[in-house]
Amino acid sequence: MSGRRIIFLDNLKTLVIALVVVFHGAMSYMAYAPEWWYVLDDERSLAATVFVVWADVFIMPVMFFISGYFGAASLAGTGSFWKSKWKRVGLPWLFGSVFIAPYIAYLYMLSRAVPMTFYQFYAEWFWGVFYQQAQYWYLGFLMALYGLLYLSRRLYLAWLRPIQGRFSLTVFFGCAALCALSMGAMLQCYDDAVWIHPLYVLCFQPTRAPLYLVVFGLGAYAWRSRWFSQGLFASPAAWGAAFAVLSVAYTAFRFDYGYEWHGLACYSEIFAVLHSLFCLTAVIALTALFQRFADSYGPWGRQLSSLSYGVYYIHQVVVMHVVWLLRPWDGGVYTKYAVMCVLSLCICTLFSRYVLSRIPSFSSSKSR
């Protein structure tokens, strides 16, 4: 069971990683873009801001859900769990965090013509206010979650013993309540935009960390309960409609639209509830929709799926340089963004195919 491919999850993973690429590109074109972002274009768009606010909710939870599902399958299998995870996730995380993330952070200086060498930046600035792990934070956090999964198996041997169960609203609202309560508690201590890096090991948003833990656990529970072996586990129409409604509601809430939500005393609590409901609804809806409509490979589907990890791994370097390259072009923000998306996805895919796929950590498509 652990080695069997779930085609619709492969396809969902491929789509979400493509969304990650265009999401990070959109941040360079946001109206009111964060000033710390690596490369910013002079032309900005409110549409890019809306897209970033919307996509920021669910793209990483979907990835953690899929990782939880296949992580449980891997742990229950006969292979070496930690050997495969260190090869596939741990070593790329360490290499990316130590050797690539500092250069991505240095692009902030380069793109603003700050007279500073990379060595000077690395020695004097990176280990202070500029410390980050770029997209590799996900790999480090995933290794920590694998550790918790492994520990839970050691403490309770029957935890991953397969059972027959179905997805239910009880499970959904239980997870939503847990996410909302934990996120609400974190919002009392941290702003949602804050990242922390305890001991320079993990790097994450504390307000989102409990949510990632819950959806990862939900993915493991989905594998244990055999949700996807009993036909459609959830209604694509009903959950797709809920996803659309919450997309509008969440975006309207974040942008206020004259209702002055930010002035409410209970704003953090409402934000935590709405964010959690939207996130979990998106995970269930997208999984159900792909199970119903994308449970087969097209001509290029299998290869794109096998290359998607490499695309994720290298995309920040590529996207930021393409944005920088296009910055002088007076082609209009939407044209530049479209060209950036196409160029970045093509370059990342080709680099994954002809460079990264030759490295053992990226060559196997079975380990997730």
Side-chain angles (χ1 to χ4, degrees), residues 35-40 107-114 327:
E35 287 302 319
W36 54 265
W37 190 240
Y38 312 115
V39 181
L40 293 173
L107 288 175
Y108 175 92
M109 300 295 187
L110 276 181
S111 66
R112 291 160 176 81
V114 176
R327 194 164 58 176

Side-chain angles (χ1 to χ4, degrees), residues 25 33 77 183 228 308 338 356:
M183 187 176 192
F228 307 138
S308 61
L356 292 180

Side-chain angles (χ1 to χ4, degrees), residues 24 37-38 96-97 100-105 126 130-139 195 203 312-313 315-317:
H24 282 140
W37 190 240
Y38 312 115
S97 298
I100 305 178
Y103 174 73
I104 296 174
F126 179 71
F130 278 91
Y131 182 79
Q132 45 93 57
Q133 294 183 7
Q135 69 269 34
Y136 310 113
W137 74 267
Y138 164 68
L139 304 181
W195 288 74
C203 188
Y312 178 84
Y313 193 80
H315 81 273
Q316 284 275 44
V317 175

Side-chain angles (χ1 to χ4, degrees), residues 231-252:
L232 293 177
F233 87 103
S235 167
W239 285 95
F243 175 53
V245 170
L246 282 169
S247 292
V248 175
Y250 177 83
T251 306

